[in-house]
């Protein structure tokens, strides 16, 4: 059917599963949302308008990820201002330092089958109980001020289409 025309990566079920869970938890979902919320909180706690904080810490993520997707970090750095690129080099490592990598190693160990599959065991246990902690975390996340700010701002963005706020 042509599904492999774009390329096929050889992998095992275990490697695909473990790397997927790690990427989602540490970078793509868990890491990114925590970074966005921390940035939003830092700006609003310093007295900046939540609308501006939302745009700077969440809305513009799409612009940057599009550049990353299209050409990696080099393309993104080429496309942004020299000031932003300099800040990338000097401030990024201050925010995401060696301790973050150590935390990521622990997340990976919790995922890995040969290290006990702690994450999977916890998730199964949560499911067996009817997901009480999961639902609690979901509700708490929905109450974060960035969600209310985002809902208001996205409702003004007609280009997003109906139901996207």
């Amino acid at each position: 059917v042509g599904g492999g025309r774009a390329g096929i990566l050889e992998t095992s079920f275990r490697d695909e599963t473990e790397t997927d869970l790690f990427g989602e938890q540490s970078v793509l979902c868990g890491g990114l949302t925590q970074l966005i919320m921390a940035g939003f909180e830092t700006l609003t706690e310093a007295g900046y308008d939540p609308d501006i904080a939302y745009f700077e810490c969440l809305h513009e993520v799409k612009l940057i990820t599009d550049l990353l997707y299209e050409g990696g970090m080099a393309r993104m750095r080429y496309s942004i201002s020299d000031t932003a690129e300099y800040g990338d080099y000097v401030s990024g490592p201050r925010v995401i330092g060696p301790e973050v990598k150590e935390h990521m190693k622990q997340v990976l160990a919790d995922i890995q089958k040969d290290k006990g599959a702690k994450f999977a065991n916890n998730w199964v246990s949560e499911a067996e109980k009817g997901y009480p902690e999961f639902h609690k975390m979901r509700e708490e996340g929905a109450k974060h001020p960035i969600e209310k700010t985002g809902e208001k701002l996205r409702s003004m963005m007609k280009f997003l289409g109906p139901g996207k706020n």
Side-chain angles (χ1 to χ4, degrees):
V1 296
R5 282 188 219 144
I8 296 174
L9 299 174
E10 280 194 43
T11 188
S12 67
F13 182 78
R14 177 182 173 179
D15 286 357
E16 169 57 24
T17 302
E18 290 178 356
T19 59
D20 185 62
L21 288 170
F22 173 80
E24 290 168 353
Q25 293 174 34
S26 294
V27 180
L28 305 173
C29 301
L32 185 59
T33 58
Q34 292 302 308
L35 186 64
I36 289 168
M37 288 190 303
F40 178 86
E41 291 167 5
T42 299
L43 288 174
T44 57
E45 289 167 7
Y48 293 95
D49 184 310
D51 292 358
I52 300 301
Y54 177 87
F55 273 100
E56 290 303 324
C57 297
L58 188 149
H59 186 79
E60 291 186 14
V61 168
K62 181 179 183 335
L63 304 172
I64 298 302
T65 54
D66 284 348
L67 293 170
L68 290 165
Y69 176 80
E70 291 167 7
M73 288 183 228
R75 166 79 182 251
M76 183 271 294
R77 288 174 173 145
Y78 171 81
S79 301
I80 61 178
S81 69
D82 288 348
T83 305
E85 183 179 2
Y86 178 72
D88 174 4
Y89 300 133
V90 300
S91 299
R94 291 174 57 201
V95 175
I96 307 295
E99 68 283 357
V100 172
K101 189 173 177 183
E102 290 304 313
H103 294 296
M104 286 180 165
K105 288 179 182 180
Q106 184 56 56
V107 169
L108 180 59
D110 288 350
I111 291 167
Q112 292 173 317
K113 181 180 178 184
D114 62 349
K115 295 190 178 155
K118 183 178 176 183
F119 173 78
N121 293 330
N122 289 346
W123 182 235
V124 169
S125 175
E126 180 71 9
E128 289 170 346
K129 293 181 228 169
Y131 304 102
E133 291 301 312
F134 174 69
H135 291 300
K136 181 180 173 186
M137 290 183 279
R138 180 184 277 168
E139 289 172 19
E140 288 300 314
K143 292 177 187 175
H144 192 279
I146 200 169
E147 294 294 356
K148 188 147 199 81
T149 301
E151 185 177 342
K152 176 185 84 170
L153 293 174
R154 288 187 306 273
S155 73
M156 294 186 272
M157 298 176 200
K158 302 302 179 200
F159 57 89
L160 291 178
K164 300 276 174 102
N165 61 356

